[in-house]
Amino acid sequence: MKLAATDFGGDGPSFLLLHGLGGSRATWETLAPQLHGRALAVDLRGHGESPDAPWEWEAVLDEIEATAVHFGLENPVVVGQSLGGVLAGLWALRHPDCPAAVSLDGHRSATTRPENYEGLAPEAVADGLARLNALFDAQLEMITRPSREILSFLRTSPELLDALPIFARVTVPFLLVLATENMPVPPDLLPLMDAHRAGLRRDLPANVIVQEIEATHGLVSTHPDQVAAIVNHFVSNRFNA
């Protein structure tokens, strides 16, 4: 399968940019030109202008790798947002010689396992998850791409439910940019969001470098200048070490 891609050009290190669930390579249009290197953004399978197919993690990684090779990217830094951040971790496992990988608020689904919420009573977690899942179900009804099949698979995929076990196995320099502001949810779901973030901070692997940013999950679109500066600083330290 050939993926749609945009080569933003530039000189220096290569950057491979992976969008989040329901997004496309257009997500990076403001941020990519600010990176200190050559940036390539792709549409993942089932997204944007790329073909449809059932989601298979290894096949998706194969397609991303073939796209990078096609465009002549040699050992790129992989930067992903949300779902793309999980893929960045999987890429780093597959490529232990990767110079660096960055996850932009890609870590755990907001509707993960109950034990991943910290500081909230179990019954409150159960009630909050039921209401949040109902909210997401209603939102997904309005999404036409990716397919319902991909959405259903990813919502229950262990990799997306909790990517921290993946990150813990990464040996390359790995940066997680953690958004500290809640996504738009009804006020009565804010305690669940706070418990989610508290559990995430509790469980972050020691090998992951964490930088927090005052932004929501959509930080690539809302704070492109700040995110680009964070990525540039992290990558320049790796290449100049």
Side-chain angles (χ1 to χ4, degrees):
M1 182 185 296
K2 293 183 178 179
L3 302 181
T6 299
D7 186 351
F8 289 93
D11 298 318
S14 296
F15 292 88
L16 183 58
L17 307 179
L18 309 176
H19 61 76
L21 181 61
S24 73
R25 66 191 193 277
T27 300
W28 304 97
E29 287 181 349
T30 302
L31 190 152
Q34 300 185 62
L35 295 175
H36 297 164
R38 179 189 175 192
L40 178 76
V42 304
D43 283 342
L44 301 172
R45 69 160 56 184
H47 291 73
E49 296 180 302
S50 289
D52 285 301
W55 192 272
E56 299 174 4
W57 290 100
E58 291 302 318
V60 168
L61 289 167
D62 288 343
E63 293 157 4
I64 296 169
E65 187 163 358
T67 306
V69 170
H70 174 80
F71 281 88
L73 268 65
E74 296 184 3
N75 203 18
V77 174
V78 181
V79 181
Q81 192 265 335
S82 191
L83 169 62
V86 177
L87 285 165
L90 291 169
W91 176 281
L93 287 180
R94 181 184 276 207
H95 297 274
D97 59 340
C98 175
V102 180
S103 174
L104 303 175
D105 212 44
H107 36 69
R108 278 176 173 164
S109 168
T111 53
T112 181
R113 292 181 289 272
E115 62 268 23
N116 290 335
Y117 300 84
E118 174 73 13
L120 196 62
E123 59 274 16
V125 171
D127 179 65
L129 284 175
R131 286 183 287 134
L132 187 59
N133 272 307
L135 180 65
F136 285 167
D137 287 342
Q139 292 174 341
L140 293 178
E141 288 293 328
M142 299 181 287
I143 295 177
T144 59
R145 192 157 172 82
S147 67
R148 188 62 51 83
E149 182 179 13
I150 288 179
L151 290 171
S152 297
F153 175 84
L154 286 175
R155 283 192 70 186
T156 58
S157 171
E159 291 85 352
L160 206 62
L161 283 175
D162 188 2
L164 298 194
I166 295 171
F167 297 168
R169 295 161 50 208
V170 169
T171 57
V172 309
F174 192 89
L175 172 67
L176 172 63
V177 180
L178 178 61
T180 62
E181 296 180 3
N182 292 316
M183 64 178 71
V185 295
D188 59 349
L189 287 176
L190 292 178
L192 183 72
M193 296 294 96
D194 292 339
H196 177 271
R197 190 174 297 107
L200 180 66
R201 289 179 173 133
R202 177 197 66 195
D203 298 335
L204 282 170
N207 61 305
V208 175
I209 301 168
V210 180
Q211 181 161 348
E212 299 193 355
I213 179 174
E214 293 183 4
T216 64
H217 190 61
L219 68 171
V220 173
S221 298
T222 61
H223 294 68
D225 299 355
Q226 189 175 354
V227 172
I230 291 171
V231 173
N232 284 329
H233 179 73
F234 175 70
V235 172
S236 66
N237 284 344
R238 308 284 80 75
F239 279 94
N240 295 329

